[in-house]
Amino acid sequence: MVKILMAAGPGNWERYRAPLETALTKARISGDLVQDAAPDTVDYIVYAPSADLQDFAPFTRAKAVLSLWAGVERIVGNKSLTQPLCRMVDPALTEGMTEWVVGHTLRHHLGLDRYTQNPDRIWDPTCPPLARDRRVAILGIGALGEACARALMALNFHVEGWSRSAKTLSGITTHHGRAGLKTVLAGADFVVTLLPRTPETENTLNSETLAWTKPGAVILNPGRGALIDDTALLAALKTGQIGHATLDVFRIEPLPADHPFWGHARVTVTPHIAADTRPDTSAEVIAENIRRGEAGQPFLHLVDRSRGY
Ligand code: NAP
């Protein structure tokens, strides 16, 4: 019997218990899913940073810590964590992110705000350009960035991606490194930030790099708040270098009531809802990783501690 400790904060036990038990049965794993156990009896830890558990040292038997979150910045630097750490790549989370990115891109591409709020009843028959005439830069072309890129490309947007290492992705032009950032941002109408939060990605969009986009570009940030220098963004919005910013993530969440993003005419705040891990599909990912651990096979979505993601 494999002992699986669910350390994922309030509410998640109720949400995940039944889906995890179903997924374990489907994967033919005889699992004992518990909320509490003697640390040296636990084989796997299903984890979210909202849990009380912060010291992993007593879990001497644990073969892996399986994160329910895609972003692991709140756990990756934990010195007591010596066990393998797997992040979440959940097909339904990816679907949610794709819908958020495509939806907010289309809002600005089609200029929908002009029609949803038109108190002066202005009749302006100017048609928006086609997607084929718009450039989208996706900073972070990993699991989520690639899915968003492909969905936008299916609508004919011209999409290019940026990553840490050189990447070959069929049909997607990619860039990497500092010079690559300048190239991917050059002339971008939309910039989507889907990077993990690491020391290297902090303030990727700053006063220098925001100037590399097309004037009036739209920023969509569903990645992490720290990817953007808030002060530089506000300044770029003021000059019009950035036309609008739609932000889902912030340095402090909930976004403080007195933050200038609230109520800014050209900032849209969504409350970290771009993509949630969904119990049914993520439970299957966790069960598959436990199956792999028990079979001595490599884990999926293993975090590289030295890279921080
Ligand atoms: P992923 O598969 O690990 O992809 C990360 C991408 O970022 C990779 O392309 C990686 O490059 C690139 N990258 C990392 N460091 C970089 C650097 N220093 N310079 C340039 N590129 C860099 O991660 P994912 O699953 O797509 O998730 C991305 C992020 O989305 C998560 O870390 C999380 O912060 C955020 N997220 C937000 C929500 C939400 O609801 N708002 C939900 C889920 C996730 P390589 O390809 O070279 O490794």
Side-chain angles (χ1 to χ4, degrees):
M1 184 75 97
V2 180
K3 186 163 283 186
I4 304 154
L5 175 68
M6 179 96 190
N12 277 332
W13 175 253
E14 290 73 23
R15 287 182 74 212
Y16 281 89
R17 184 182 186 173
L20 272 171
E21 283 175 347
T22 304
L24 290 167
T25 306
K26 206 167 142 192
R28 297 176 190 277
I29 294 159
S30 171
D32 180 18
L33 189 62
V34 295
Q35 282 193 95
D36 197 15
D40 60 353
T41 65
V42 171
D43 296 296
Y44 297 90
I45 303 171
V46 176
Y47 189 74
S50 44
D52 291 334
L53 171 55
Q54 298 297 328
D55 181 9
F56 295 89
F59 292 86
T60 48
R61 184 187 157 103
K63 293 182 190 150
V65 172
L66 307 169
S67 171
L68 285 180
W69 289 20
V72 290
E73 71 274 9
R74 283 172 61 183
I75 183 180
V76 73
N78 186 322
K79 296 268 186 289
S80 71
L81 178 67
T82 51
Q83 300 85 347
L85 170 66
C86 301
R87 66 196 191 83
M88 179 50 66
V89 179
D90 164 25
L93 182 153
T94 304
E95 262 176 65
M97 182 61 80
T98 305
E99 291 177 16
W100 188 95
V101 168
V102 171
H104 287 281
T105 302
L106 285 176
R107 169 191 168 195
H108 296 290
H109 164 59
L110 295 173
L112 294 183
D113 293 6
R114 279 185 291 159
Y115 314 114
T116 54
Q117 292 160 26
N118 190 3
D120 298 329
R121 303 178 186 190
I122 294 166
W123 181 269
D124 174 4
T126 314
C127 274
L130 290 174
R132 68 176 67 240
D133 300 320
R134 303 278 205 190
R135 295 179 70 88
V136 184
I138 302 202
L139 310 188
I141 192 94
L144 299 176
E146 182 180 353
C148 294
R150 296 208 181 279
L152 290 167
M153 287 162 69
L155 293 169
N156 271 352
F157 283 97
H158 178 91
V159 182
E160 298 196 5
W162 184 66
S163 53
R164 192 180 64 95
S165 54
K167 284 186 100 157
T168 307
L169 297 173
S170 90
I172 306 178
T173 303
T174 55
H175 309 270
H176 68 283
R178 185 76 183 165
L181 181 59
K182 193 162 195 175
T183 309
V184 75
L185 288 178
D189 297 282
F190 294 89
V191 180
V192 182
T193 42
L194 271 168
L195 298 157
R197 181 181 183 172
T198 69
E200 288 74 38
T201 61
E202 175 119 19
N203 292 333
T204 296
L205 291 182
N206 54 39
S207 53
E208 183 187 3
T209 56
L210 284 167
W212 293 344
T213 70
K214 190 168 169 178
V218 170
I219 306 291
L220 305 182
N221 183 17
R224 283 293 181 258
L227 303 178
I228 304 182
D229 176 338
D230 289 1
T231 308
L233 176 58
L234 287 163
L237 284 161
K238 198 167 183 182
T239 62
Q241 169 60 19
I242 298 303
H244 197 102
T246 295
L247 310 172
D248 186 57
V249 282
F250 306 91
R251 285 168 191 270
I252 301 173
E253 295 182 6
L255 183 64
D258 60 351
H259 196 286
F261 287 156
W262 283 120
H264 192 298
R266 285 185 288 119
V267 175
T268 301
V269 170
T270 64
H272 203 142
I273 45 76
D276 198 7
T277 305
R278 310 285 166 147
D280 288 345
T281 43
S282 63
E284 297 203 355
V285 178
I286 287 166
E288 169 60 10
N289 255 340
I290 294 174
R291 188 200 65 72
R292 284 169 169 258
E294 292 309 289
Q297 295 169 358
F299 289 115
L300 297 172
H301 320 308
L302 205 55
V303 171
D304 177 338
R305 309 288 174 85
S306 60
R307 291 185 324 189
Y309 68 98

